[in-house]
Structure formats: C-alpha cells, structure tokens
Amino acid sequence: MLPDSAAIQSAIRKAVAAIIAVVLGLVLLTALLITGFYLLVNAAALALAPLVGKPGALAIVGLACLCLLAFFFYRMTRPARTLRNSEDRQSGTGSSSPVDVLRSLITRNPLEAAALAFAVGVAEQKDPRLKNLLMQGGMTLMRQSAGTGTPDPGESDEPPAPEN
C-alpha cells in the first residue's frame, strides 16, 4: 500500500521511471552494440569475398573474431600487476606517514579522489564543523607540501630579531 502523501507518491513514481529508463537505455545500447558488431563482421566478410571466396572470407573473419575473444579472456584472467605492489617493494613498509600514504593514493587515483571530494562537499556543505575541520586539514597539508620540511621565516612563532 502506497502512502497517502502526494509528494511521496510522486517521488516513488519518478524513481521507478528513472530505473526503467536506465534499464531500457542499457538494453538499447546493448542491442546497438551487438548489431554494430554483426554488421562489421558481415562487411568484413563481404569485402574479403572477392579476394579469397566466400568460405575463405568467413574463415578469416571467424579466426579474427576468435583471436579478439581469446585476447579479451587472456586480459581478463591474467593477474594484474599493480603500481601499489611495486611501490611497496621500493619503499619499506610502515616507513611513510599517513599523509604520504594519502598523497600517493590521491596521485594514483585522481578521478576517484575528485569524485569523493565532490560527494563530501555536496553532502556536508551545511555542516560548519566539518567545513572548519577540512579547512584546517587542508591548510596543514598545503604548508607541509609547500616546504621541504623547514618552516618559512614568516611562519615562526618567535618575533623577528631587530636589525641594528
């Protein structure tokens, strides 16, 4: 039984319509992909038919398709070499700080980091405590990355010495 509120019913209808649209879109794109591949194979066979005959053309095109399929499954089943494993071997385990680990993670996955930052910004834009915390953390990271570990003369806690 649907709730009595018209706004809730409207939201449910919109959600169902969006889900149906996504499913139909995927079905149509899949049908177009399969049809396009079929037409490409057929065109290749027709183009090769005058050179080697129809049976030879179908054999060549079939062999090419099997090679592509074998290459695809080879790439899918082969264990992936990751950049992370090579970096772990080069640097000692536990020798880097959490900030360095975070920097390397963002460097390796820039799109995911940007998407996560956007999602956090949209979800938590009204929370002033989180905003202050992120600003403080960002400023600290910027200060650390700007220098080589030595503080700038303007950032020291001591007042500058008077000149004579």
Side-chain angles (χ1 to χ4, degrees):
M1 181 173 165
L2 289 175
D4 293 335
S5 173
I8 293 176
Q9 287 180 352
S10 173
I12 290 173
R13 284 189 194 112
K14 288 178 184 177
V16 169
I19 291 171
I20 291 172
V22 167
V23 170
L24 282 176
L26 288 175
V27 167
L28 288 174
L29 286 175
T30 304
L32 284 172
L33 180 68
I34 291 171
T35 304
F37 187 71
Y38 169 74
L39 291 174
L40 183 66
V41 168
N42 197 13
L46 287 174
L48 288 173
L51 300 174
V52 293
K54 187 151 180 134
L58 291 175
I60 291 171
V61 171
L63 184 64
C65 289
L66 285 177
C67 287
L68 283 174
L69 191 64
F71 178 70
F72 173 77
F73 281 114
Y74 169 73
R75 295 283 295 179
M76 291 296 290
T77 58
R78 187 178 62 144
R81 294 181 305 194
T82 60
L83 181 64
R84 188 178 326 143
N85 291 343
S86 63
E87 284 179 358
D88 287 344
R89 277 187 237 126
Q90 289 175 356
S91 64
T93 57
S95 64
S96 59
S97 69
V99 174
D100 291 335
V101 171
L102 186 61
R103 280 188 190 143
S104 66
L105 184 65
I106 290 171
T107 304
R108 280 189 312 235
N109 305 311
L111 294 177
E112 290 85 355
L116 182 63
F118 178 75
V120 168
V122 168
E124 300 295 331
Q125 67 183 354
K126 303 221 186 238
D127 189 6
R129 293 178 297 162
L130 180 65
K131 189 182 214 180
N132 288 336
L133 177 69
L134 291 175
M135 290 297 287
Q136 289 173 354
M139 293 303 288
T140 303
L141 288 175
M142 284 176 23
R143 282 189 200 118
Q144 286 179 355
S145 66
T148 59
T150 59
D152 291 339
E155 291 185 28
S156 65
D157 292 338
E158 299 174 13
E163 294 182 12
N164 292 338

